[in-house]
Amino acid sequence: MELKTPLYNTHLMEQGKIVPFAGYLLPVQYPTGVIKEHMAVREKCGLFDVSHMGEILLKGPDALDNLNFILSNDYTVMNPGQARYSPMLNENGGIVDDLIVYKVNDETYFIVVNASNKDKDFNWIQDHLRGNVEAVDLSSDIAQLALQGPLAESILLKITEADMLPEKYYSCNFNGVAAGIRCIISKTGYTGENGFELYCAAEDGEKLWKALRVAGGNDLIPCGLGARDTLRLEAAMPLYGHEMSDNITPFEAKLKTFVKMNKEDFIGKAALLQKGKPARRRCGLKVTGRGIIREHTDLYVEGKKVGVTTSGTHAPYLGVPIAMALIDNEYTELGTQVEADVRGRKVPAEVIALPFYKKSK
């Protein structure tokens, strides 16, 4: 049976179309529709309920040692309030999940994991702990809202003070207050836009949502899962179960930046060394023919299968169909022409650079 986030009744009041997702009942869209929600985030501002995401507290004298062993990124040099992204690998070098770690202090780290994997991730972390450290699942106690778009900061400043906002991307204020509500204010997001993610007590979630809706006025609309997916795809942000999986390595997923092979050891390092240079990698595709290429579509060059798509849609802001794919190395050069087999019909596409969309500064 699906769970409800602390904002479930708010979504009903906002006339959200509720669907089951990652074990929760969540709005896929509101009466405005996915395209208008997508464009609001690109041009003004959108508000998402992402309370289905998981939150884990890792604490103890050996917390840092465990982070560096369980995750492929390096957390050794990090300031309190700073956030850092990382894949979490299995022993074969595949991706268990990707997550964000915030440093609270030298012995305490706040970890945010994907909704569909939160129980799996917590168990994985728990099973690989060593020394004096403890993992605590905080997920059910927290509501998380994402305020995303060019106007996010000006809207948030209507319900908080300027010194409450973190200055740098991928940093947070653990002692934030917005609309009189204690919350973590994080300068992060999954849309390719400027914005914030706010973590508060579950019982304060509805109040914070309503305060932001009032502050945003006509410049802010609620957004659902549909727009969240089209936005992250335009920004070429990978999604677990699509561009990442237990059988896809971070090198194949084009996440090499977040794998520090010079660390002494981490889960999956030996396997990555043994595998050597990957034979395929994540690429961007622009459809040059007629049609939309969805996930799990085979790609061909002169009749030879050279890859498979991992995500695909019509990009609302860019106005063209796009896709991400895992493609054999010899066919990943920009400009390479491929054909997608869409239910027996060949749809031409071209390999292009990622990300598809990048916000103007």
Side-chain angles (χ1 to χ4, degrees):
M1 185 175 178
E2 283 83 14
L3 302 171
K4 297 174 181 177
T5 74
L7 286 102
Y8 178 78
N9 290 329
T10 299
H11 301 315
L12 295 181
M13 184 186 69
E14 298 265 22
Q15 299 182 316
K17 181 181 178 183
I18 305 297
V19 299
F21 176 81
Y24 283 82
L25 293 173
L26 291 163
V28 66
Q29 65 179 62
Y30 295 87
T32 42
V34 172
I35 293 177
K36 286 188 176 179
E37 292 167 25
H38 181 111
M39 296 302 289
V41 174
R42 289 279 178 257
E43 296 174 345
K44 292 186 177 181
C45 198
L47 180 61
F48 301 80
D49 173 20
V50 283
S51 304
H52 56 301
M53 299 290 279
E55 294 86 15
I56 299 166
L57 199 66
L58 192 68
K59 56 184 182 177
D62 295 323
L64 176 60
D65 173 69
N66 278 269
L67 276 182
N68 279 332
F69 176 64
I70 294 172
L71 305 179
S72 64
N73 209 338
D74 192 343
Y75 290 86
T76 306
V77 180
M78 201 174 176
N79 297 319
Q82 188 177 353
R84 189 165 291 168
Y85 171 91
S86 182
M88 181 163 65
L89 309 184
N90 59 33
E91 287 85 351
N92 296 318
I95 302 173
V96 176
D97 199 5
D98 66 332
L99 45 81
I100 295 176
V101 177
Y102 297 84
K103 181 173 180 176
V104 182
N105 57 48
D106 287 345
E107 295 189 1
T108 312
Y109 296 84
F110 181 71
I111 305 172
V112 181
V113 300
N114 286 310
S116 57
N117 289 337
K118 67 180 185 181
D119 292 335
K120 180 184 85 168
D121 288 354
F122 180 74
N123 291 334
W124 179 269
I125 291 170
Q126 189 91 299
D127 290 345
H128 291 86
L129 293 180
R130 57 191 192 183
N132 189 355
V133 66
E134 178 188 9
V136 183
D137 187 352
L138 304 175
S139 305
S140 60
D141 299 327
I142 293 176
Q144 183 188 349
L145 307 184
L147 183 71
Q148 300 285 299
L151 300 183
E153 183 169 325
S154 61
I155 290 171
L156 187 52
L157 282 172
K158 292 180 180 179
I159 62 168
T160 191
E161 300 299 323
D163 61 2
M164 288 289 169
L165 303 188
E167 291 183 15
K168 295 182 178 179
Y169 188 51
Y170 262 62
S171 67
C172 79
N173 177 4
F174 282 108
N175 300 303
V177 178
I181 298 165
R182 290 179 58 85
C183 55
I184 300 170
I185 302 176
S186 171
K187 199 166 188 176
T188 46
Y190 193 52
T191 62
E193 291 296 337
N194 288 321
F196 300 88
E197 292 173 315
L198 299 98
Y199 303 82
C200 65
E203 58 269 24
D204 291 329
E206 287 191 327
K207 182 182 174 184
L208 185 56
W209 175 282
K210 289 172 184 175
L212 288 165
R213 290 284 277 128
V214 171
N218 294 330
D219 292 329
L220 174 70
I221 64 171
C223 300
L225 296 168
R228 184 167 162 84
D229 191 53
T230 56
L231 287 159
R232 73 92 194 167
L233 182 47
E234 271 192 347
M237 293 179 165
L239 175 65
Y240 188 84
H242 294 255
E243 290 71 41
M244 299 175 287
S245 76
D246 287 310
N247 299 311
I248 299 172
T249 73
F251 295 158
E252 293 173 322
K254 213 172 180 181
L255 298 173
K256 184 179 180 180
T257 303
F258 310 105
V259 181
K260 306 305 182 187
M261 296 298 287
N262 58 345
K263 284 200 302 181
E264 182 179 349
D265 193 21
F266 59 87
I267 298 171
K269 178 180 178 180
L272 292 177
L273 287 170
Q274 186 177 12
K275 289 175 188 289
K277 184 180 178 181
R280 58 179 185 169
R281 64 182 173 92
R282 177 166 63 105
C283 296
L285 294 175
K286 178 178 75 174
V287 176
T288 55
R290 295 183 61 185
I292 294 176
I293 304 174
R294 304 291 186 186
E295 63 194 74
H296 307 314
T297 301
D298 291 336
L299 301 171
Y300 295 86
V301 172
E302 296 178 350
K304 177 186 176 184
K305 183 180 173 182
V306 299
V308 63
T309 59
T310 53
S311 298
T313 190
H314 180 84
Y317 185 81
L318 300 176
V320 295
I322 57 173
M324 286 194 284
L326 288 170
I327 299 178
D328 295 346
N329 276 342
E330 55 265 44
Y331 301 98
T332 57
E333 187 176 338
L334 300 184
T336 300
Q337 304 296 309
V338 300
E339 288 185 319
D341 184 355
V342 180
R343 296 183 297 277
R345 184 171 69 88
K346 295 292 191 291
V347 175
E350 178 183 337
V351 177
I352 65 171
L354 295 176
F356 305 105
Y357 168 84
K358 193 170 185 178
K359 69 178 183 292
S360 55
K361 293 187 179 179

